[in-house]
Amino acid sequence: MSTSQNWSSSLKFILVAAGSAVGLGNIWKFPQLVAENGGSAFILIYIACILILGIPLLILEFSIGKTSKSNSLDTILHFNKNSFLKHSYLLYIIGAFLLMSFYFIVSGWTLSYFVESITGGISYNPNLENSYYQNVLGSLFSNPKKLILYTLAIILITYYINSKDIQKGIERLNFVLFPVLFLILIILIIKVLTLNNISEGLKFYFYPDFSKVTINTFINALGQTFFSLSLGTGTMIVYSSYLKKEINIIKASIYTSIIGSLVGIFSGLIIIPSLFSFNLPLSGGTGLTFISLPLIFSQIYLGKYLAIIFFFMMLIATITSTISMLETILPYFMKKCNLTRQKSALLISFIVLILSIPNSLSFNVLSNLTLFKLNIFEQVVYLENNILLTLGSLLITIYGIYFIKDTLKAEISNYLSPFIMNLWIFLIKFIIPLIIIVIIIKEIINS
Ligand code: PHE
């Protein structure tokens, strides 16, 4: 996307923002968190977080981006020269690299499932056992070369799209992505509902058991809110810096949040109950989605073809997210290092490749290197999702409070009644920072 280009209509912008929001966070991470955090109680807390923090913060990020005159994070977050926060935008630069260092790897798994579903490397056949699909993932994880090559492929695709001006093609792809993705999710939900012994799984997914709720449930739900809406990374700020004046950011925030959370909730409804039906453990961790989905496809007539379409859609959903991650810091590097768009994209891609190597190796060569029972990859995911995104969101509220009086208020008042606007300001000024600070303190005590 070149700076001269603007998102021309509200629908286009919603699709682009939802393109960033919907990705692995919803399809891969959300079901895993539901499984590990007591099922439906987690979902309810997540929905509350979306309403109380997600939507107001998205409105804040969109309004900061839209009213800024730049697309480079250091210029957008212009704190007073003497303020200790003047270099705070570096949090987003570091966060973006950390995020890309694991996200591109999981996108690579998606690519490998897509490719191997086509080539027959993965079979879909109702006679195959759970262990077959566990071995498929196991053999991918134990092959560092393959993991790195698939990650490299995602890096190259993302680099190519960001460095060229083929953004228009992506916009068009988004028009197809969401309807097809929702259609497949609904077909899969219908299939899952007809599986054997599904009632126990449905109960786990819909009947909240609050006895399982701990402070960790809240920490994870908050982290997931930020991750699934691409908040606290600067991404939505940079994206909305291309917005035209007449675009309604309130509508965009609400629709983006609804699309993002629905994809997550639908994916969970497919994956979680089917674990019960297939007798798979809820503690499947990182690989959960990549084991239960193929198992469901194996039970469906012509499942191979559905698998190919599904993994292709999942791939598009992740690539619209990886593009947005690279775009977050691209203008900054162009400006800071005086580089062209291509060279800046190349530099960032190279750094991401280097950083992703230890993460890929943590499933095989470096699997013994653990801290608190988490390998390097899991440490990085935790650090990014539960700490950096939280700090990033706190930073953006501080910035918002700083500037809320004039510019932002003027922008927001175009779309909100005075009552709702005051409620929004109250949330941004008091409630959201308070929740974030409490969670940060709890996390420090926890660790
Ligand atoms: N929201 C994306 C997802 O859920 C991940 C993401 C986070 C993208 C931050 C951009 C910035 O997959």
Side-chain angles (χ1 to χ4, degrees):
M1 178 189 344
S2 61
T3 16
S4 59
Q5 193 176 334
N6 279 332
W7 305 119
S8 46
S9 72
S10 288
L11 177 63
K12 261 192 202 155
F13 179 66
I14 291 168
L15 288 176
V16 171
S20 167
V22 173
L24 297 169
N26 319 70
I27 303 168
W28 162 71
K29 193 76 192 158
F30 184 77
Q32 184 193 335
L33 286 170
V34 176
E36 287 168 358
N37 289 277
S40 146
F42 176 83
I43 303 176
L44 290 178
I45 296 171
Y46 170 73
I47 294 175
C49 286
I50 293 275
L51 293 174
I52 299 170
L53 293 104
I55 297 178
L57 280 172
L58 207 50
I59 296 176
L60 179 64
E61 292 208 359
F62 284 163
S63 57
I64 291 175
K66 190 179 168 189
T67 52
S68 74
K69 306 260 172 318
S70 163
N71 58 355
S72 177
L73 280 171
D74 58 331
T75 329
I76 300 177
L77 292 183
H78 55 276
F79 281 102
N80 198 321
K81 284 212 168 45
N82 304 322
S83 158
F84 76 102
L85 288 171
K86 79 177 170 206
H87 292 305
S88 54
Y89 66 89
L90 288 175
L91 182 74
Y92 293 134
I93 311 286
I94 296 168
F97 280 117
L98 257 149
L99 180 62
M100 290 191 271
S101 78
F102 74 81
Y103 199 94
F104 281 56
I105 296 180
V106 186
S107 307
W109 305 348
T110 313
L111 177 61
S112 99
Y113 270 67
F114 169 62
V115 171
E116 298 200 9
S117 298
I118 295 178
T119 59
I122 304 176
S123 303
Y124 297 95
N125 168 339
N127 301 324
L128 290 168
E129 310 254 333
N130 295 358
S131 58
Y132 170 78
Y133 293 102
Q134 283 164 326
N135 288 338
V136 169
L137 187 68
S139 67
L140 174 66
F141 280 5
S142 62
N143 189 337
K145 240 199 234 146
K146 206 164 155 184
L147 285 175
I148 293 172
L149 280 178
Y150 275 115
T151 307
L152 178 63
I154 298 290
I155 293 178
L156 290 177
I157 296 171
T158 309
Y159 159 75
Y160 183 75
I161 297 172
N162 282 65
S163 63
K164 299 269 178 253
D165 238 358
I166 57 169
Q167 202 72 24
K168 284 241 150 33
I170 298 297
E171 279 180 15
R172 249 174 255 139
L173 216 55
N174 274 333
F175 273 105
V176 185
L177 165 69
F178 290 111
V180 179
L181 188 63
F182 273 110
L183 184 71
I184 304 185
L185 289 176
I186 289 168
I187 295 176
L188 291 177
I189 290 175
I190 295 171
K191 175 66 203 176
V192 164
L193 293 178
T194 64
L195 290 174
N196 290 335
N197 303 325
I198 202 68
S199 54
E200 203 190 332
L202 289 176
K203 193 168 154 221
F204 180 81
Y205 200 69
F206 286 113
Y207 183 77
D209 179 358
F210 287 103
S211 68
K212 300 242 175 63
V213 173
T214 62
I215 182 69
N216 277 331
T217 321
F218 285 93
I219 294 178
N220 287 325
L222 196 69
Q224 178 63 14
T225 302
F226 300 145
F227 185 56
S228 67
L229 294 182
S230 310
L231 287 168
T233 53
T235 302
M236 292 307 200
I237 301 179
V238 173
Y239 257 20
S240 50
S241 73
Y242 300 104
L243 271 177
K244 275 196 176 155
K245 225 177 159 15
E246 59 279 4
I247 288 177
N248 181 335
I249 52 174
I250 310 291
K251 223 162 76 187
S253 313
I254 294 174
Y255 283 121
T256 306
S257 307
I258 292 178
I259 298 174
S261 359
L262 272 188
V263 174
I265 291 170
F266 281 10
S267 305
L269 179 54
I270 295 162
I271 289 160
I272 307 290
S274 68
L275 292 177
F276 285 81
S277 170
F278 294 131
N279 263 326
L280 284 166
L282 279 170
S283 57
T286 307
L288 202 76
T289 301
F290 290 91
I291 294 171
S292 68
L293 275 175
L295 259 168
I296 302 171
F297 291 125
S298 75
Q299 305 287 316
I300 298 179
Y301 176 61
L302 295 181
K304 170 181 170 161
Y305 299 97
L306 200 58
I308 293 173
I309 305 172
F310 178 84
F311 285 118
F312 183 63
M313 288 300 136
M314 186 168 163
L315 191 63
I316 304 293
T318 73
I319 287 176
T320 50
S321 301
T322 56
I323 295 170
S324 73
M325 291 172 194
L326 191 64
E327 187 62 38
T328 309
I329 54 174
L330 195 60
Y332 171 76
F333 276 89
M334 284 168 73
K335 194 183 109 184
K336 201 77 185 165
C337 310
N338 206 4
L339 293 173
T340 60
R341 191 171 179 78
Q342 271 93 330
K343 291 210 176 110
S344 170
L346 192 65
L347 173 69
I348 299 168
S349 302
F350 181 71
I351 300 175
V352 172
L353 176 65
I354 303 293
L355 292 175
S356 67
I357 291 175
N359 282 340
S360 290
L361 297 184
S362 62
F363 293 100
N364 34 72
V365 186
L366 300 179
S367 61
N368 288 334
L369 216 62
T370 56
L371 191 69
F372 305 119
K373 292 205 200 119
L374 300 179
N375 65 26
I376 305 175
F377 175 93
E378 289 160 337
Q379 295 281 352
V380 172
V381 175
Y382 189 86
L383 178 66
E384 173 64 23
N385 285 14
N386 291 0
I387 298 174
L388 285 183
L389 296 188
T390 312
L391 286 177
S393 295
L394 184 62
L395 177 66
I396 211 63
T397 48
I398 297 173
Y399 185 82
I401 294 167
Y402 205 61
F403 286 98
I404 229 160
K405 276 196 220 70
D406 33 47
T407 340
L408 299 186
K409 223 169 165 179
E411 170 65 30
I412 299 294
S413 64
N414 291 332
Y415 307 105
L416 289 181
S417 67
F419 174 74
I420 304 279
M421 188 168 82
N422 285 332
L423 180 66
W424 177 72
I425 293 176
F426 181 69
L427 285 173
I428 297 288
K429 274 193 171 167
F430 303 106
I431 304 296
I432 296 179
L434 187 73
I435 295 177
I436 295 183
I437 289 169
V438 168
I439 291 285
I440 293 176
I441 293 174
K442 278 284 176 199
E443 246 172 309
I444 295 171
I445 297 172
N446 254 10
S447 59

